[in-house]
Amino acid sequence: DRLKKQWTTDGVHQDTLDYHPDTRSLRFLTQKSGLFALVSSRTMLFPYQHWSLEPALKESLDDEDIDVDQDEDSCVHYTLRTHFVTVKIQIIGSICQLLEPKIKGLYMKALPPGELLFALRDAGINLIPLDHDAANIKPCIIKDKSRPSTEAEGGQEEEEEDDDDIRVVMIKSRKLESKVYREMSSVAVGFDIAASRWNSKVSKLRSVFQVRETSVFTGGNEETEDYGMVLIEDDEASQSYIEAPDVGPITEPGMKCSLIQQKEEKMIPVIPSSTNDEGDGGEEKQAEDGSIQVKNEGEEEDVNNNEGEGGAVEGGSEEETKPSSSLSSASKKKKKKKKAPPEVFNEHRLKGTTTHLYLVNALKDGHSSEEAMERVSQAPPQVCRTLERLLMMTRPVSFS
């Protein structure tokens, strides 16, 4: 507003906003002319819903030739998925190229990591979070599509809410972040790396992510192997240090890497139906990945007891049986709404492995192939350094 010398929404009809994601254009109805601004929160894309790193064959423009032998070991794709947009960046040598979204003037343009991220910020995509941004980020619910939905009354399916679906930002210590990004970058040319839902559930001195040997060069990047779980932690936060503090911490930077037994998939607790009379009653069993399965026989007994206490008695009136029906119905509804017990994080190492100062040695300990180890040993230093800088600026370990 030129008279007030401040921005105003007067004259702009907010209900007529029409956004076209394909062209990234916005149409609206206004009664005034002049300069217009689209304002958004700098934290609107956080927390990240998912992120991943994967070795890849170099993607080029249609008129460029591809030399597979030259490029197959020197290219990594970094993908950040937010609730609004998915950003995919190609790292080759010391430069980065934007693959998604195809923003005019930025798509496939070779830029250093910092310049690319600042250009994306100018285009409305801020991927450079700061510590104080965490205070303005609300917890969000990220649904796990792999979990089966429960069947409600009337045959309709409904998804059961679970506290585990709530994603809360956990700012990790700077020392830990630096270590994690350095280790990820050192093996990214030979292994697929992906976010884990457990990362935000552990302390700021620990980081958890998924890793597996890539098949992009042999199997068309088909999921030929399952992901394993990596734990990188500050030694003073580890269970071994807590149990034996007199031994002292390891040498600087005081971080260690290990492959652990925890799985990414959620375990659904086993709750037998009321017709099952063979349960042991209130028995808890811990699965191999650390989650707990519970048999809630006690609730069945409550339902049966209520039916017995208020049930039809020989010589009793029909009115005396009505309270039993009400109690039985209430007990069944209560049983249906009972929440599953919380999962337990299983930090025990995989059998036959031990902790290491460097992730590459932990992966070698986990029986990785000689081909994958050779790719890692021959990784171009420029790719590792560029990827590390990109990770340090986008901070997926703290903001996902």
Side-chain angles (χ1 to χ4, degrees), residues 356-388:
H356 292 273
L357 293 179
Y358 301 103
L359 178 59
V360 62
N361 292 332
L363 294 174
K364 186 185 301 184
D365 207 16
H367 309 293
S368 298
S369 70
E370 293 183 3
E371 181 182 1
M373 291 293 102
E374 184 178 358
R375 291 185 186 279
V376 171
S377 65
Q378 297 177 358
Q382 299 93 333
V383 172
C384 299
R385 288 195 295 266
T386 302
L387 178 56
E388 183 180 351

Side-chain angles (χ1 to χ4, degrees), residues 69-131:
D69 294 332
Q70 180 180 356
D71 295 328
E72 70 169 8
D73 286 342
S74 59
C75 180
V76 176
H77 285 177
Y78 176 36
T79 304
L80 283 167
R81 191 178 78 232
T82 73
H83 71 282
F84 178 70
V85 65
T86 296
V87 178
K88 189 173 184 179
I89 298 173
Q90 178 170 258
I91 299 95
I92 305 174
S94 59
I95 60 98
C96 299
Q97 293 175 302
L98 180 67
L99 302 181
E100 296 179 23
K102 296 182 178 181
I103 300 175
K104 186 177 180 180
L106 287 181
Y107 173 64
M108 293 298 295
K109 184 177 181 180
L111 292 170
E115 289 188 27
L116 175 58
L117 292 177
F118 281 113
L120 283 171
R121 189 185 66 176
D122 293 341
I125 302 176
N126 179 38
L127 300 176
I128 312 176
L130 303 174
D131 282 353

Side-chain angles (χ1 to χ4, degrees), residues 41 55 73 105 172 194 198 201 244 259 291 300 315 350 358 379 395:
S41 169
D73 286 342
K172 306 296 181 178
W198 288 101
K201 301 177 188 299
L259 300 179
S291 60
E300 296 178 20
L350 286 179
Y358 301 103
R395 303 182 66 184

Side-chain angles (χ1 to χ4, degrees), residues 17-282:
L17 297 177
D18 185 16
Y19 176 68
H20 298 268
D22 295 337
T23 59
R24 301 186 74 244
S25 61
L26 181 70
R27 294 183 179 181
F28 57 93
L29 180 63
T30 178
Q31 297 174 340
K32 295 182 179 181
S33 61
L35 296 176
F36 294 93
L38 176 63
V39 181
S40 61
S41 169
R42 59 171 282 112
T43 62
M44 64 176 291
L45 300 182
F46 308 121
Y48 302 122
Q49 292 192 332
H50 190 73
W51 61 265
S52 64
L53 294 167
E54 59 180 6
L57 297 177
K58 176 183 175 182
E59 289 192 23
S60 304
L61 296 174
D62 295 337
D63 56 349
E64 292 185 14
D65 295 330
I66 300 176
D67 188 341
V68 175
D69 294 332
Q70 180 180 356
D71 295 328
E72 70 169 8
D73 286 342
S74 59
C75 180
V76 176
H77 285 177
Y78 176 36
T79 304
L80 283 167
R81 191 178 78 232
T82 73
H83 71 282
F84 178 70
V85 65
T86 296
V87 178
K88 189 173 184 179
I89 298 173
Q90 178 170 258
I91 299 95
I92 305 174
S94 59
I95 60 98
C96 299
Q97 293 175 302
L98 180 67
L99 302 181
E100 296 179 23
K102 296 182 178 181
I103 300 175
K104 186 177 180 180
L106 287 181
Y107 173 64
M108 293 298 295
K109 184 177 181 180
L111 292 170
E115 289 188 27
L116 175 58
L117 292 177
F118 281 113
L120 283 171
R121 189 185 66 176
D122 293 341
I125 302 176
N126 179 38
L127 300 176
I128 312 176
L130 303 174
D131 282 353
H132 62 76
D133 290 332
N136 300 318
I137 300 175
K138 297 180 179 179
C140 66
I141 297 178
I142 299 178
K143 292 297 182 182
D144 185 354
K145 296 181 180 180
S146 66
R147 298 193 70 184
S149 57
T150 56
E151 187 171 331
E153 294 181 5
Q156 298 180 347
E157 290 187 350
E158 63 177 8
E159 292 186 355
E160 182 179 341
E161 292 187 3
D162 194 328
D163 291 340
D164 288 340
D165 292 329
I166 299 177
R167 188 69 55 80
V168 180
V169 168
M170 168 63 73
I171 302 296
K172 306 296 181 178
S173 72
R174 275 295 185 169
K175 188 170 71 169
L176 175 68
E177 275 196 276
S178 298
K179 172 67 172 178
V180 171
Y181 299 145
R182 188 178 305 113
E183 295 304 321
M184 286 181 179
S185 303
S186 69
V187 301
V189 298
F191 292 84
D192 298 329
I193 304 173
S196 170
R197 64 188 178 90
W198 288 101
N199 183 64
S200 62
K201 301 177 188 299
V202 296
S203 76
K204 67 178 182 179
L205 300 178
R206 303 174 119 190
S207 179
V208 183
F209 56 90
Q210 301 181 81
V211 66
R212 70 180 176 192
E213 190 172 324
T214 189
S215 60
V216 67
F217 305 116
T218 56
N221 206 26
E222 297 179 359
E223 297 181 1
T224 55
E225 293 190 22
D226 294 332
Y227 276 107
M229 197 74 75
V230 171
L231 170 65
I232 298 182
E233 59 184 341
D234 191 311
D235 182 53
E236 295 186 7
S238 66
Q239 192 64 32
S240 59
Y241 180 85
I242 294 174
E243 294 175 351
D246 296 337
V247 177
I250 59 177
T251 57
E252 286 294 328
M255 303 285 172
K256 56 187 183 182
C257 313
S258 57
L259 300 179
I260 59 175
Q261 297 179 18
Q262 180 62 54
K263 301 296 184 183
E264 180 68 7
E265 298 78 11
K266 292 185 179 180
M267 298 296 293
I268 309 302
V270 177
I271 303 179
S273 63
S274 59
T275 57
N276 182 9
D277 296 324
E278 298 179 359
D280 297 330

